[in-house]
Amino acid sequence: MSELYKLGIKEAAEGLAAGAFSSVELTQAVIDRVHEKDGEIGAYLTFDEEGALAAAEAADEKRLGQGAQSPSLLGIPVAIKDLINVKGQPCTCASKILKGYVSPYDATVIRNLKAAGAVCAGRVNMDEFAMGSSTENSGLGVTHNPYDLSRVPGGSSGGSAAAVGGDLAIAALGTDTGGSIRQPASFCNIVGLKPSYGRVSRYGVTAFASSLDQVGPMTKSVEDAAMLLQVLAGHDEMDGTTPKESVPDYVKALEGASLKGVKLGLPKEYYEVSGVDPEVKRITDEAIKSCEAAGAELVEVSLPHTEYAMAVYYIVAPAEASANLARFDGVRYGHRSERSDDVFNLYARSRAEGFGPEVKRRIIMGTYVLSSGYYDAYYGRASKVRTLIRRDFETAFQKVDALLTPVAPTPAFRIGEVQDPLTMYLNDLFTIPGSLAGNCSISVPAGFAATEGAKLPVGVQFICDAYREEKLLAVGMAFETIVRG
Ligand code: GLN
C-alpha cells in the first residue's frame, strides 16, 4: 500500500477498480513520494496538492456512482509538462518570462484528461520553451536523472521523464518537436510515444514549432502509453491539423501483439553515422537480434536524405519559434521590464530579461532565416528538402511495417558536460527525421549501458507510418515483452 507510487496506469486502474485502494490514497502516495525524493531529483516545478486531493476525492465519488463503467484513467494522477495549460495553474514553460502567469483555460488534452477523471496537478520541468535535450536550459532549475543524479534526464521533457522514471508520477505528458519525448524516455528507462502530426490536439499547448509539435504519453509501459494516447487523441475543432476520422482502439490493438512476420526496416544511413556510443550500438544490435529471434523479418532500407534532416530542422524549428515567441512582449503575459520608458524598450528589455540564452539564439536564427531576401533561400528550400525526407519514409513504408533505430547517440551525459550547442543538437540525430516527416515513433527501454561504472538506461526507437499508432504500439509491446523476459 505504501508503495502505490510505483504503479503504472494499468496496475493503478486495476487496483482502483478492484477497490484495493482509493484515488485519494494513490494521489497521497505520489505526493509523499515527491516530498521524499524530489529534493534530489527536481522533476516538479509546482504541485497543487490540495487541488490534487480534491480531484482525487471527486474521482472516488464518481467511481461509486459508475462502478465498472468508470473510465480507465479515473482517479489517476498524471504529471504535466509545464507548457500545457491547465486552468488556474501556472504555465511557465520553464521560462522567467512567464513567471507569475496563470492559465485562464484548459488545453484540449487537459480537457480530455479531466473528462476521463485524471488528476492533473503536478507540473514538471523542461528546457525553456522546449528548446534543448537535457533540461539544463530550464530557467527555473536543474532536473537530475533518477538513475544517476550526476547526469541529465534528457530533454526537453526531462521533468516528465525523471518523474515517471523515478516513480514520482504514475505517468506524464510530454511534448516532442524533434525528439523531446523519445530521448528523455530513453535516458530515464521509460516508454515515450510521439504521435503522428495531427493525432493529438495542440490547442492550449504553448507553441514552439507549430508544424512539428506533438503532445504524447510518457509512461512505465507500452500498454500505459496506449491507454493514455486513447484519451489524448482525436479531432479538435480548435486545431485544424486534427482529422475528423475516429480514433482506433489502441488498447485492443495490443491483443496478441507479436513480432512474428513483422517486416522491420533498418535504415542504413542510421547505422553508418559515426559518434554513436559503443554501448548504444551493442544494445541496439541486441535489440535487432532479439526481434529477429522473435520472428521479425529484417530488411535493410535507405532514407537517402537523412543527412539533411538536422540542417532542415534548425531552419524550420527556429523560424517557427521566432514567430510563435513574438507574443511574449511584456504586455500580455508574464514578466514586464521595469526599466522601460517607451514601448520599444518595453518589448526589448522584457524579452532580454525574460528569455534565456538558447531561446534567444533560436529567435535570432529564426528571424534571420525568415528575413526578406533570405526567406526563399532558407525556409523555402528547407521546406522542399523536408518533402524529400517525408518521401524517403513513404518509400520505406511501402516495404516494411516499422523501422528500428537507436533513439539517441549516447546514454545520459553528465550535467554540465555538453557545453557546445551543436553537440547538444546532435542528440536528436535519429529522432528529427521522423518529426519532419510527421510519422509516429516510440522509445522503448532496451537495456542498460555500462558507462564509467554507472548503469544507464538506453531505449530503442520504432517508427511507423503516419496514423499507424496501432501497429507502432503492438510492435513496441512485443519488444517490451522480450526485454522484460
Ligand atoms: N532538442 C531539440 C531542440 O532543441 C528538440 C526539442 C523538442 O523536441 N522539443 O529543438
Side-chain angles (χ1 to χ4, degrees):
M1 200 75 148
S2 58
E3 295 196 332
L4 293 178
Y5 56 82
K6 284 193 175 163
L7 302 178
I9 294 177
K10 175 156 187 256
E11 301 152 314
E14 283 171 357
L16 288 167
F21 46 83
S22 68
S23 171
V24 169
E25 287 169 312
L26 177 67
T27 306
Q28 189 63 55
V30 171
I31 292 173
D32 291 346
R33 171 76 172 170
V34 171
H35 281 284
E36 184 198 325
K37 273 275 174 194
D38 206 35
E40 59 187 29
I41 293 180
Y44 284 89
L45 292 172
T46 53
F47 204 127
D48 173 12
E49 296 180 13
E50 231 172 86
L53 291 168
E57 214 178 304
D60 285 334
E61 266 167 38
K62 223 177 191 173
R63 187 177 297 278
L64 285 179
Q66 296 179 329
Q69 301 303 315
S70 301
S72 53
L73 254 65
L74 181 64
I76 297 193
V78 179
I80 309 296
K81 187 175 179 180
D82 204 32
L83 80 177
I84 303 174
N85 284 279
V86 179
K87 191 174 177 179
Q89 290 181 16
C91 183
T92 64
C93 304
S95 180
K96 292 198 171 73
I97 209 163
L98 279 170
K99 229 175 173 172
Y101 176 74
V102 174
S103 301
Y105 70 111
D106 281 332
T108 298
V109 286
I110 299 299
R111 266 213 336 255
N112 293 352
L113 280 177
K114 284 185 177 174
V119 176
C120 310
R123 305 195 57 83
V124 279
N125 202 12
M126 53 185 282
D127 285 299
E128 185 177 3
F129 286 103
M131 297 171 189
S133 299
S134 66
T135 312
E136 291 167 294
N137 294 340
S138 168
L140 304 180
V142 184
T143 300
H144 300 259
N145 189 308
Y147 283 81
D148 178 344
L149 296 174
S150 71
R151 293 176 190 265
V152 304
S156 64
S157 310
S160 309
V164 176
D167 286 327
L168 280 72
I170 306 297
L173 294 193
T175 59
D176 193 310
T177 302
S180 279
I181 286 177
R182 294 161 283 168
Q183 181 256 23
S186 172
F187 282 16
C188 293
N189 203 31
I190 66 165
V191 172
L193 187 150
K194 184 201 87 74
S196 312
Y197 184 72
R199 182 70 288 183
V200 175
S201 167
R202 293 167 297 118
Y203 178 69
V205 181
T206 313
F208 163 12
S210 306
S211 73
L212 296 156
D213 300 340
Q214 271 296 288
V215 179
M218 300 179 72
T219 57
K220 295 179 190 178
S221 72
V222 174
E223 190 164 9
D224 283 7
M227 292 172 81
L228 194 46
L229 181 64
Q230 197 72 53
V231 174
L232 304 177
H235 175 65
D236 177 16
E237 274 181 11
M238 303 302 281
D239 180 349
T241 64
T242 57
K244 284 221 168 77
E245 284 94 89
S246 62
V247 177
D249 188 332
Y250 294 125
V251 179
K252 203 157 173 217
L254 297 177
E255 280 170 17
S258 155
L259 283 161
K260 201 158 272 164
V262 171
K263 289 200 175 110
L264 266 189
L266 306 176
K268 74 180 170 70
E269 292 78 6
Y270 286 49
Y271 291 91
E272 281 166 359
V273 293
S274 57
V276 177
D277 181 276
E279 282 291 275
V280 170
K281 269 199 178 129
R282 173 182 65 78
I283 291 167
T284 311
D285 285 346
E286 280 171 11
I288 294 170
K289 282 193 195 117
S290 51
C291 288
E292 191 177 26
E297 185 189 325
L298 304 178
V299 184
E300 190 187 89
V301 295
S302 172
L303 302 170
H305 297 92
T306 299
E307 63 175 306
Y308 306 112
M310 192 65 82
V312 167
Y313 177 86
Y314 277 97
I315 291 171
V316 172
E320 296 180 9
S322 73
N324 280 325
L325 269 57
R327 60 172 65 93
F328 303 106
D329 55 8
V331 177
R332 281 173 292 177
Y333 316 93
H335 175 74
R336 178 177 301 173
S337 175
E338 283 167 6
R339 299 184 299 119
S340 50
D341 40 24
D342 63 29
V343 73
F344 179 80
N345 278 338
L346 173 74
Y347 293 157
R349 291 194 176 138
S350 299
R351 288 165 70 82
E353 292 166 13
F355 288 137
E358 183 62 28
V359 175
K360 286 178 183 160
R361 183 179 295 123
R362 305 278 178 115
I363 292 174
I364 291 167
M365 280 199 285
T367 315
Y368 178 78
V369 298
L370 288 179
S371 56
S372 75
Y374 290 109
Y375 181 90
D376 288 339
Y378 289 106
Y379 195 81
R381 292 197 72 167
S383 302
K384 287 182 186 149
V385 181
R386 184 176 181 177
T387 303
L388 299 176
I389 292 169
R390 204 180 56 232
R391 285 195 195 138
D392 282 356
F393 280 100
E394 283 165 8
T395 309
F397 288 127
Q398 284 169 6
K399 284 192 271 182
V400 297
D401 301 302
L403 302 171
L404 193 174
T405 82
V407 179
T410 68
F413 42 90
R414 286 189 195 284
I415 293 171
E417 182 181 333
V418 178
Q419 293 289 341
D420 161 42
L422 286 180
T423 311
M424 190 66 88
Y425 297 171
L426 287 174
N427 267 279
D428 300 313
L429 200 62
F430 302 125
T431 48
I432 275 178
S435 297
L436 290 168
N439 51 35
C440 55
S441 41
I442 192 169
S443 171
V444 183
F448 288 86
T451 306
E452 298 163 21
K455 264 184 79 189
L456 303 175
V458 173
V460 294
Q461 174 175 238
F462 294 97
I463 309 175
C464 280
D465 206 359
Y467 292 89
R468 296 303 311 276
E469 276 83 358
E470 310 104 286
K471 184 97 225 164
L472 182 72
L473 285 158
V475 167
M477 171 128 152
F479 176 71
E480 178 186 65
T481 310
I482 300 172
V483 173
R484 291 187 172 178

